[in-house]
Amino acid sequence: MKKNYILATFVAIVFFGCDKEDVSQTEETIAAVNHTYKYKKDKDKNGGCDISLFPDLPETLNACTTAKGVDADNSYFNLTINDSSLAGDYGAWCVDVDLSLNADECFEAKVYSSYESLPEGKFEHPENFDLINWILNQNFIGSESPSGGTYTFGDVQWAIWELIDDQNCALCAYLGSDWSKTKGQEIVDLALANGEGYEPGDGDSLAIVLIPTNNRQSIFIPYELECGDNVGTICKRKNRTWKCIRQGCKHEKNKRKNQHGRKKFKCSSK
């Protein structure tokens, strides 16, 4: 009985002797995390199908930016890849604040999955590419922000820089007039709360990193994953026609939903 009384007294002293915790930030964090559930996907959905985060990619490719910033289609760049199995049009995102890349600029680039070992020293925080992939698959653009308004491509791009670089944009001249650090930080916080260890699954997009060989700004493009033998086999629009990007894939026009501002057609191996 005496032992129990001493223990109870000790617990009471510890409890009442602690400083009062400021829960305001905790409540804000909980609110932010709760907000994610309207975006968050069930990642246990592959049903055992074969999804590779290291698809068969070309070693290098040639590409040209065709628009940048507000002139692009709900992304930081519009990009046309001119050769290789990835030939087609993409919405691309910047992952390097230190260098620059203009609209209507062509370059050769080395190609990497964002989950493989990337060139050492090229990115300040390559360990955060899982968070970048999580952001890529949440369809933030056009959805409502808890702070008011809707998320824009500028909010998404700012969040990407905040996670992958050691500094963010200074003037942020190409992010448009309707972005804000508040909304960008919301996306960062959501990614930190939900994206650790994230891996895209069937129907999701994998960030494919393009590193120009002429010391220009590195970017990434979305690459849609498919189960089994059809991993990555989709049709991309080029010169007003739809072309499959893998050999042996027959063109079957099954229109998929708009994603990242682009209509896609699924290839079939029938």
Side-chain angles (χ1 to χ4, degrees):
M1 182 67 181
K2 182 177 180 181
K3 184 182 295 184
N4 290 341
Y5 174 79
I6 292 172
L7 178 60
T9 303
F10 174 78
V11 171
I13 291 172
V14 170
F15 181 81
F16 290 107
C18 292
D19 291 336
K20 184 177 180 181
E21 181 183 1
D22 181 5
V23 298
S24 59
Q25 187 168 350
T26 304
E27 289 173 350
E28 289 175 4
T29 302
I30 292 172
V33 172
N34 287 341
H35 179 66
T36 66
Y37 293 126
K38 80 179 202 178
Y39 305 112
K40 192 172 182 181
K41 297 181 180 180
D42 178 11
K43 303 314 297 176
D44 188 23
K45 65 179 184 195
N46 294 333
C49 75
D50 182 21
I51 292 293
S52 174
L53 300 179
F54 309 97
D56 185 16
L57 298 171
E59 186 174 337
T60 61
L61 54 75
N62 289 278
C64 296
T65 56
T66 57
K68 180 178 180 178
V70 295
D71 296 324
D73 185 14
N74 274 336
S75 57
Y76 194 67
F77 290 107
N78 283 353
L79 183 79
T80 296
I81 296 177
N82 301 310
D83 56 13
S84 81
S85 60
L86 295 177
D89 297 327
Y90 297 84
W93 300 91
C94 172
V95 279
D96 190 354
V97 179
D98 303 316
L99 300 174
S100 61
L101 185 64
N102 300 318
D104 300 317
E105 184 173 348
C106 297
F107 56 91
E108 180 189 56
K110 294 184 178 180
V111 185
Y112 302 87
S113 164
S114 53
Y115 283 87
E116 68 179 289
S117 296
L118 297 166
E120 188 174 354
K122 191 63 183 176
F123 304 102
E124 281 79 8
H125 295 288
E127 70 277 6
N128 284 341
F129 267 110
D130 55 348
L131 308 183
I132 302 302
N133 275 274
W134 184 87
I135 291 173
L136 180 62
N137 285 286
Q138 304 311 308
N139 299 318
F140 277 109
I141 298 175
S143 62
E144 293 185 4
S145 161
S147 62
T150 58
Y151 293 114
T152 69
F153 85 93
D155 302 319
V156 172
Q157 180 60 78
W158 188 92
I160 291 169
W161 282 331
E162 188 74 1
L163 289 167
I164 209 69
D165 218 306
D166 61 352
Q167 62 180 347
N168 214 312
C169 57
L171 299 177
C172 305
Y174 291 97
L175 299 188
S177 60
D178 49 358
W179 79 282
S180 71
K181 287 186 179 180
T182 298
K183 291 188 293 177
Q185 188 62 49
E186 287 170 2
I187 296 174
V188 169
D189 292 341
L190 293 171
L192 289 170
N194 296 276
E196 188 67 34
Y198 173 84
E199 295 182 358
D202 180 32
D204 291 333
S205 291
L206 167 68
I208 298 297
V209 180
L210 308 181
I211 302 179
T213 57
N214 60 348
N215 201 36
R216 301 297 281 169
Q217 199 169 58
S218 294
I219 61 177
F220 72 82
I221 60 171
Y223 179 88
E224 189 174 334
L225 297 173
E226 300 283 347
C227 276
D229 294 335
N230 284 333
V231 171
T233 54
I234 56 174
C235 295
K236 297 281 186 182
R237 185 166 186 167
K238 186 177 182 182
N239 299 328
R240 297 187 178 182
T241 63
W242 292 90
K243 179 182 178 182
C244 293
I245 64 173
R246 271 189 187 268
Q247 293 181 350
C249 176
K250 297 179 181 179
H251 190 177
E252 182 179 274
K253 287 190 175 182
N254 294 328
K255 188 180 291 186
R256 302 176 69 87
K257 66 180 180 180
N258 280 1
Q259 190 176 23
H260 313 300
R262 306 211 170 269
K263 290 181 180 179
K264 295 184 178 181
F265 286 74
K266 181 179 179 181
C267 284
S268 172
S269 58
K270 293 179 181 178

